[in-house]
Amino acid sequence: VLTTIADLTWSMPAILIALLFVAIIGSGLESVVVAIGLSYWAQYARLVRGQILSLKNAVFIEATKSMGASDFIILFKHLLPNSISPVIVAATIGIGNAIVLEATLGFLGMGAQPPTPSWGAMMSNGTAYLFIAPWMIIFPGLAMMITVLGFNLFGDALIDIMDVKNKESS
């Protein structure tokens, strides 16, 4: 059932889910955080499920079963800890998507409300002065771009650090 719900959620664009949720609940920082979580939960659920399915027939799991470990112990002491590194890597790369989604909602006026700062709201306010003071849009956009690039590079580095296949071949 959860896989079907995750597939349905994943089939819709994240911005559509976030816009729908924020339109129903109302704008504000809390609504944006929940909307971003609802928009991206499915990819993490599918990733964890895939990792657990690939690990459940591993030799160390069979050995743990033969020693009489319960399903609860196998899941929480062996499967989840061994499947978490791809989730961490995906989360660091997904932070960039979440930042862009928050900025999009802020640009549309559905994000964090003043006095809470938002790059999207800053760019939205700067559109009125686009030809007079273009830096009002350029600098928040550059700050957002550098932050997203930083998280993506960090996630890329984590892929290199946590990749077991690369460690075995070197």
Side-chain angles (χ1 to χ4, degrees):
V1 173
L2 280 176
T3 305
T4 305
I5 294 170
D7 288 342
L8 288 173
T9 304
W10 212 2
S11 67
M12 293 185 285
I15 185 68
L16 183 63
I17 296 169
L19 281 171
L20 181 67
F21 183 79
V22 172
I24 291 171
I25 301 302
S27 59
L29 188 58
E30 295 83 14
S31 297
V32 170
V33 169
V34 173
I36 290 171
L38 286 175
S39 299
Y40 292 118
W41 77 272
Q43 69 184 14
Y44 298 107
R46 296 284 296 180
L47 182 60
V48 169
R49 181 179 182 273
Q51 288 295 316
I52 288 178
L53 286 177
S54 70
L55 286 173
K56 80 176 191 181
N57 294 325
V59 175
F60 72 95
I61 298 298
E62 294 296 324
T64 307
K65 282 182 189 175
S66 68
M67 291 174 39
S70 67
D71 290 340
F72 182 83
I73 296 293
I74 291 171
L75 179 64
F76 287 101
K77 283 194 118 183
H78 299 287
L79 288 174
L80 284 177
N82 284 307
S83 64
I84 201 72
S85 59
V87 175
I88 293 170
V89 170
T92 57
I93 293 174
I95 288 173
N97 293 335
I99 290 170
V100 171
L101 182 56
E102 186 282 326
T104 303
L105 291 172
F107 186 84
L108 297 173
M110 300 178 85
Q113 299 301 308
T116 306
S118 169
W119 284 321
M122 288 178 196
M123 289 189 282
S124 178
N125 293 336
T127 56
Y129 306 103
L130 180 62
F131 297 109
I132 301 167
W135 57 84
M136 291 181 71
I137 294 177
I138 292 172
F139 288 128
L142 279 174
M144 186 173 64
M145 182 192 75
I146 290 169
T147 304
V148 170
L149 179 65
F151 278 113
N152 284 343
L153 291 175
F154 180 64
D156 220 18
L158 277 178
I159 289 172
D160 294 339
I161 291 169
M162 292 183 162
D163 193 16
V164 178
K165 294 175 187 167
N166 285 344
K167 288 182 183 177
E168 290 174 356
S169 64
S170 49

